[in-house]
Amino acid sequence: MKTIFAAIALSLAMAGASMAANVTNKDDQSHVLIITEGSTKVEVVVDAGASALVCPAGCFVTMPSGDRETLSGEETIEIINGSAVIK
């Protein structure tokens, strides 16, 4: 999983990470997000206390709670008690 996360982080850096959604996990356990861009699905693990950049060009995200959200790539998301708060 860390390899997938590293690959996504690298591709975001090359694509202009300033337009990516920023996910911060404020829980004390890791959470998995399922990122769907077009027909491609990728699982992204956000470790406890860590942040990840996702969806530089918009995507669908399945949150840890099972909720599915549409992101444009400019959102700030906090995972608190297993639930996502989108700002």
Side-chain angles (χ1 to χ4, degrees), residues 9-50:
L10 178 61
S11 67
L12 288 176
M14 293 176 6
S18 64
M19 293 298 294
N22 185 18
V23 180
T24 302
N25 182 359
K26 296 200 171 193
D27 286 352
D28 55 1
Q29 66 182 20
S30 297
H31 289 288
V32 177
L33 303 175
I34 301 171
I35 310 296
T36 305
E37 293 180 290
S39 61
T40 304
K41 286 187 179 184
V42 177
E43 290 184 355
V44 175
V45 177
V46 184
D47 291 328

Side-chain angles (χ1 to χ4, degrees), residues 43-71:
E43 290 184 355
V44 175
V45 177
V46 184
D47 291 328
S51 294
L53 297 174
V54 298
C55 305
C59 67
F60 293 102
V61 177
T62 304
M63 302 296 180
S65 63
D67 292 339
R68 188 171 165 144
E69 299 289 339
T70 303
L71 302 180

